[in-house]
Amino acid sequence: MKRCDLLVDLGRRRFLSGAGVAAAGVAASAVLPANETKAAVPTARVTYPSTRLGNVNELKLNEPLDVAYPDDDASGVLIKLGKRVEGGAGPEGDIVGFTTICPHKGYPLHYNSERRTLNCSGHYSVFDCEAGGQETWGHATQNLPQYSLRVDEKGDIYAEGVDELIYGRLSNVL
């Protein structure tokens, strides 16, 4: 049997010494002088021009209002939860908005008013609307994209961004 001349036999000692040098380099680069600052960590948020989605008067407690954001091909909902939540908008901080496209495989989501979750009938992912769209069950590998909302003095609800990647898009840039 002919032996390949391209193989390199490092040996255990040489491999371990190389790994030690690499680990020391990583440790040394992690230590910053006191006068240097770390760069801000980028987020997935992409900002959009303000888009009016509805008015506070159109919302009924714990009933989703169908909307489309950031464009007509991206279905979503606004929900008045009736209690202040993180990321909530409006006078009571209880209005949230989410895409209704499952981030796992793009199946449509349906609102469960009893549990206050958006549920996927495809692979049974469950997203908690009171916890910022956090996935609590299923196959999805990311939380549900939530809208960044603003409510003006007339009660008009505006979406100004999305905090996660919407299914089927390479980026949320329009």
Side-chain angles (χ1 to χ4, degrees):
M1 182 180 227
K2 189 173 181 183
R3 190 172 169 183
C4 178
D5 294 333
L6 300 177
L7 292 176
V8 176
D9 184 15
L10 286 178
R12 183 175 174 191
R13 251 184 218 165
R14 179 164 254 176
F15 174 78
L16 290 176
S17 67
V21 169
V26 169
S29 68
V31 177
L32 293 175
N35 60 353
E36 288 188 33
T37 58
K38 289 185 180 180
V41 177
T43 63
R45 181 175 305 278
V46 175
T47 55
Y48 301 93
S50 288
T51 303
R52 184 184 181 279
L53 299 180
N55 189 283
V56 173
N57 295 330
E58 298 173 49
L59 298 176
K60 295 179 181 160
L61 184 62
N62 206 25
E63 289 184 26
L65 174 68
D66 291 331
V67 296
Y69 183 76
D71 53 50
D72 292 339
D73 294 328
S75 60
V77 290
L78 292 177
I79 307 167
K80 181 171 179 59
L81 295 171
K83 73 177 204 176
R84 184 172 296 279
V85 294
E86 187 173 338
E92 288 87 36
D94 65 342
I95 299 170
V96 293
F98 298 97
T99 181
T100 53
I101 304 166
C102 184
H104 175 235
K105 291 284 185 180
Y107 284 91
L109 300 175
H110 305 283
Y111 186 65
N112 179 323
S113 59
E114 187 176 310
R115 295 178 61 203
R116 296 179 185 221
T117 58
L118 282 162
N119 305 325
C120 178
S121 59
H123 296 104
Y124 311 111
S125 290
V126 176
F127 303 93
D128 187 344
C129 295
E130 293 178 333
Q134 181 178 6
E135 181 194 16
T136 58
W137 182 261
H139 292 283
T141 57
Q142 75 176 49
N143 294 328
L144 190 60
Q146 182 174 6
Y147 305 152
S148 177
L149 299 176
R150 172 180 60 85
V151 178
D152 71 10
E153 64 281 347
K154 296 182 284 185
D156 288 333
I157 304 166
Y158 292 88
E160 298 180 327
V162 180
D163 69 354
E164 296 277 349
L165 187 64
I166 296 173
Y167 178 81
R169 299 179 184 218
L170 298 177
S171 72
N172 286 339
V173 178
L174 297 178

